[in-house]
PDB file of all heavy atoms in Angstrom:
ATOM      1  N   ASP B 250     -46.511   9.411  24.771  1.00 95.00           N
ATOM      2  CA  ASP B 250     -47.141  10.687  25.036  1.00 95.00           C
ATOM      3  C   ASP B 250     -46.151  11.683  25.642  1.00 95.00           C
ATOM      4  O   ASP B 250     -46.047  12.825  25.222  1.00 95.00           O
ATOM      5  CB  ASP B 250     -48.391  10.524  25.938  1.00 95.00           C
ATOM      6  CG  ASP B 250     -49.559   9.960  25.136  1.00 95.00           C
ATOM      7  OD1 ASP B 250     -49.743  10.450  24.007  1.00 95.00           O
ATOM      8  OD2 ASP B 250     -50.208   9.056  25.597  1.00 95.00           O
ATOM      9  N   SER B 251     -45.463  11.215  26.737  1.00 95.00           N
ATOM     10  CA  SER B 251     -44.576  12.161  27.430  1.00 95.00           C
ATOM     11  C   SER B 251     -43.372  12.484  26.569  1.00 95.00           C
ATOM     12  O   SER B 251     -42.859  13.652  26.609  1.00 95.00           O
ATOM     13  CB  SER B 251     -44.144  11.570  28.794  1.00 95.00           C
ATOM     14  OG  SER B 251     -43.398  10.339  28.612  1.00 95.00           O
ATOM     15  N   LEU B 252     -42.919  11.558  25.743  1.00 97.00           N
ATOM     16  CA  LEU B 252     -41.831  11.884  24.825  1.00 97.00           C
ATOM     17  C   LEU B 252     -42.201  12.950  23.795  1.00 97.00           C
ATOM     18  O   LEU B 252     -41.452  13.879  23.478  1.00 97.00           O
ATOM     19  CB  LEU B 252     -41.345  10.608  24.072  1.00 97.00           C
ATOM     20  CG  LEU B 252     -40.170  10.763  23.061  1.00 97.00           C
ATOM     21  CD1 LEU B 252     -38.968  11.236  23.784  1.00 97.00           C
ATOM     22  CD2 LEU B 252     -39.919   9.462  22.350  1.00 97.00           C
ATOM     23  N   TRP B 253     -43.407  12.796  23.284  1.00 97.00           N
ATOM     24  CA  TRP B 253     -43.976  13.753  22.337  1.00 97.00           C
ATOM     25  C   TRP B 253     -44.146  15.125  23.094  1.00 97.00           C
ATOM     26  O   TRP B 253     -43.752  16.172  22.473  1.00 97.00           O
ATOM     27  CB  TRP B 253     -45.311  13.266  21.797  1.00 97.00           C
ATOM     28  CG  TRP B 253     -46.026  14.208  20.838  1.00 97.00           C
ATOM     29  CD1 TRP B 253     -45.721  14.366  19.502  1.00 97.00           C
ATOM     30  CD2 TRP B 253     -47.007  15.164  21.156  1.00 97.00           C
ATOM     31  NE1 TRP B 253     -46.568  15.351  19.003  1.00 97.00           N
ATOM     32  CE2 TRP B 253     -47.329  15.825  19.963  1.00 97.00           C
ATOM     33  CE3 TRP B 253     -47.685  15.465  22.368  1.00 97.00           C
ATOM     34  CZ2 TRP B 253     -48.322  16.862  19.894  1.00 97.00           C
ATOM     35  CZ3 TRP B 253     -48.659  16.478  22.347  1.00 97.00           C
ATOM     36  CH2 TRP B 253     -48.967  17.179  21.099  1.00 97.00           C
ATOM     37  N   GLU B 254     -44.744  15.153  24.260  1.00 97.00           N
ATOM     38  CA  GLU B 254     -44.940  16.347  24.990  1.00 97.00           C
ATOM     39  C   GLU B 254     -43.658  17.054  25.231  1.00 97.00           C
ATOM     40  O   GLU B 254     -43.496  18.297  25.094  1.00 97.00           O
ATOM     41  CB  GLU B 254     -45.572  16.079  26.349  1.00 97.00           C
ATOM     42  CG  GLU B 254     -47.115  15.890  26.251  1.00 97.00           C
ATOM     43  CD  GLU B 254     -47.679  15.178  27.534  1.00 97.00           C
ATOM     44  OE1 GLU B 254     -46.934  15.298  28.593  1.00 97.00           O
ATOM     45  OE2 GLU B 254     -48.675  14.545  27.401  1.00 97.00           O
ATOM     46  N   ALA B 255     -42.643  16.321  25.683  1.00 97.00           N
ATOM     47  CA  ALA B 255     -41.348  16.983  25.941  1.00 97.00           C
ATOM     48  C   ALA B 255     -40.724  17.575  24.711  1.00 97.00           C
ATOM     49  O   ALA B 255     -40.131  18.682  24.735  1.00 97.00           O
ATOM     50  CB  ALA B 255     -40.348  15.962  26.541  1.00 97.00           C
ATOM     51  N   ASN B 256     -40.907  16.944  23.579  1.00 98.00           N
ATOM     52  CA  ASN B 256     -40.421  17.539  22.288  1.00 98.00           C
ATOM     53  C   ASN B 256     -41.212  18.784  22.038  1.00 98.00           C
ATOM     54  O   ASN B 256     -40.631  19.843  21.657  1.00 98.00           O
ATOM     55  CB  ASN B 256     -40.614  16.527  21.160  1.00 98.00           C
ATOM     56  CG  ASN B 256     -39.450  15.546  21.013  1.00 98.00           C
ATOM     57  OD1 ASN B 256     -38.357  16.039  20.496  1.00 98.00           O
ATOM     58  ND2 ASN B 256     -39.565  14.352  21.493  1.00 98.00           N
ATOM     59  N   MET B 257     -42.510  18.796  22.215  1.00 98.00           N
ATOM     60  CA  MET B 257     -43.370  19.956  21.894  1.00 98.00           C
ATOM     61  C   MET B 257     -43.047  21.048  22.819  1.00 98.00           C
ATOM     62  O   MET B 257     -43.136  22.293  22.521  1.00 98.00           O
ATOM     63  CB  MET B 257     -44.815  19.613  21.914  1.00 98.00           C
ATOM     64  CG  MET B 257     -45.321  18.677  20.855  1.00 98.00           C
ATOM     65  SD  MET B 257     -44.988  19.319  19.177  1.00 98.00           S
ATOM     66  CE  MET B 257     -44.020  18.052  18.470  1.00 98.00           C
ATOM     67  N   ASP B 258     -42.637  20.735  24.083  1.00 97.00           N
ATOM     68  CA  ASP B 258     -42.273  21.716  25.079  1.00 97.00           C
ATOM     69  C   ASP B 258     -41.142  22.680  24.539  1.00 97.00           C
ATOM     70  O   ASP B 258     -41.004  23.773  24.933  1.00 97.00           O
ATOM     71  CB  ASP B 258     -41.846  21.098  26.394  1.00 97.00           C
ATOM     72  CG  ASP B 258     -43.042  20.668  27.214  1.00 97.00           C
ATOM     73  OD1 ASP B 258     -44.179  21.059  26.887  1.00 97.00           O
ATOM     74  OD2 ASP B 258     -42.858  19.824  28.144  1.00 97.00           O
ATOM     75  N   LEU B 259     -40.229  22.122  23.664  1.00 97.00           N
ATOM     76  CA  LEU B 259     -39.102  22.885  23.221  1.00 97.00           C
ATOM     77  C   LEU B 259     -39.672  24.041  22.324  1.00 97.00           C
ATOM     78  O   LEU B 259     -38.984  25.014  22.041  1.00 97.00           O
ATOM     79  CB  LEU B 259     -38.234  22.054  22.348  1.00 97.00           C
ATOM     80  CG  LEU B 259     -37.363  20.968  23.127  1.00 97.00           C
ATOM     81  CD1 LEU B 259     -36.640  20.070  22.163  1.00 97.00           C
ATOM     82  CD2 LEU B 259     -36.384  21.632  24.064  1.00 97.00           C
ATOM     83  N   LEU B 260     -40.871  23.885  21.768  1.00 97.00           N
ATOM     84  CA  LEU B 260     -41.519  24.901  20.922  1.00 97.00           C
ATOM     85  C   LEU B 260     -42.314  25.920  21.711  1.00 97.00           C
ATOM     86  O   LEU B 260     -42.812  26.852  21.161  1.00 97.00           O
ATOM     87  CB  LEU B 260     -42.323  24.240  19.832  1.00 97.00           C
ATOM     88  CG  LEU B 260     -41.603  23.319  18.873  1.00 97.00           C
ATOM     89  CD1 LEU B 260     -42.596  22.556  18.010  1.00 97.00           C
ATOM     90  CD2 LEU B 260     -40.597  24.129  18.036  1.00 97.00           C
ATOM     91  N   ASP B 261     -42.431  25.669  23.022  1.00 96.00           N
ATOM     92  CA  ASP B 261     -43.338  26.412  23.850  1.00 96.00           C
ATOM     93  C   ASP B 261     -42.554  27.525  24.570  1.00 96.00           C
ATOM     94  O   ASP B 261     -41.712  27.204  25.389  1.00 96.00           O
ATOM     95  CB  ASP B 261     -44.064  25.518  24.809  1.00 96.00           C
ATOM     96  CG  ASP B 261     -45.140  26.294  25.594  1.00 96.00           C
ATOM     97  OD1 ASP B 261     -45.124  27.532  25.679  1.00 96.00           O
ATOM     98  OD2 ASP B 261     -45.981  25.622  26.215  1.00 96.00           O
ATOM     99  N   ALA B 262     -42.805  28.752  24.236  1.00 91.00           N
ATOM    100  CA  ALA B 262     -42.006  29.877  24.848  1.00 91.00           C
ATOM    101  C   ALA B 262     -42.175  29.952  26.392  1.00 91.00           C
ATOM    102  O   ALA B 262     -41.342  30.521  27.024  1.00 91.00           O
ATOM    103  CB  ALA B 262     -42.365  31.159  24.183  1.00 91.00           C
ATOM    104  N   ASN B 263     -43.290  29.328  26.814  1.00 91.00           N
ATOM    105  CA  ASN B 263     -43.535  29.457  28.263  1.00 91.00           C
ATOM    106  C   ASN B 263     -42.855  28.374  29.100  1.00 91.00           C
ATOM    107  O   ASN B 263     -42.995  28.253  30.302  1.00 91.00           O
ATOM    108  CB  ASN B 263     -45.058  29.337  28.526  1.00 91.00           C
ATOM    109  CG  ASN B 263     -45.759  30.516  27.928  1.00 91.00           C
ATOM    110  OD1 ASN B 263     -45.288  31.636  27.930  1.00 91.00           O
ATOM    111  ND2 ASN B 263     -46.883  30.212  27.218  1.00 91.00           N
ATOM    112  N   VAL B 264     -42.215  27.448  28.389  1.00 91.00           N
ATOM    113  CA  VAL B 264     -41.542  26.311  29.094  1.00 91.00           C
ATOM    114  C   VAL B 264     -40.078  26.713  29.355  1.00 91.00           C
ATOM    115  O   VAL B 264     -39.454  27.291  28.498  1.00 91.00           O
ATOM    116  CB  VAL B 264     -41.628  25.035  28.206  1.00 91.00           C
ATOM    117  CG1 VAL B 264     -40.726  23.990  28.823  1.00 91.00           C
ATOM    118  CG2 VAL B 264     -43.058  24.586  28.210  1.00 91.00           C
ATOM    119  N   SER B 265     -39.574  26.395  30.511  1.00 89.00           N
ATOM    120  CA  SER B 265     -38.269  26.888  30.920  1.00 89.00           C
ATOM    121  C   SER B 265     -37.097  26.078  30.460  1.00 89.00           C
ATOM    122  O   SER B 265     -35.929  26.414  30.792  1.00 89.00           O
ATOM    123  CB  SER B 265     -38.243  27.037  32.475  1.00 89.00           C
ATOM    124  OG  SER B 265     -38.397  25.717  33.001  1.00 89.00           O
ATOM    125  N   LEU B 266     -37.313  25.038  29.671  1.00 94.00           N
ATOM    126  CA  LEU B 266     -36.170  24.248  29.159  1.00 94.00           C
ATOM    127  C   LEU B 266     -35.526  25.010  28.002  1.00 94.00           C
ATOM    128  O   LEU B 266     -36.149  25.066  26.906  1.00 94.00           O
ATOM    129  CB  LEU B 266     -36.568  22.896  28.739  1.00 94.00           C
ATOM    130  CG  LEU B 266     -35.493  21.992  28.172  1.00 94.00           C
ATOM    131  CD1 LEU B 266     -34.546  21.654  29.249  1.00 94.00           C
ATOM    132  CD2 LEU B 266     -36.045  20.770  27.550  1.00 94.00           C
TER     133      LEU B 266
END
Side-chain angles (χ1 to χ4, degrees):
Chain B
D250 282 316
S251 63
L252 180 62
W253 178 83
E254 279 163 23
N256 273 286
M257 293 301 124
D258 283 344
L259 292 173
L260 298 171
D261 186 343
N263 300 317
V264 168
S265 61
L266 180 67

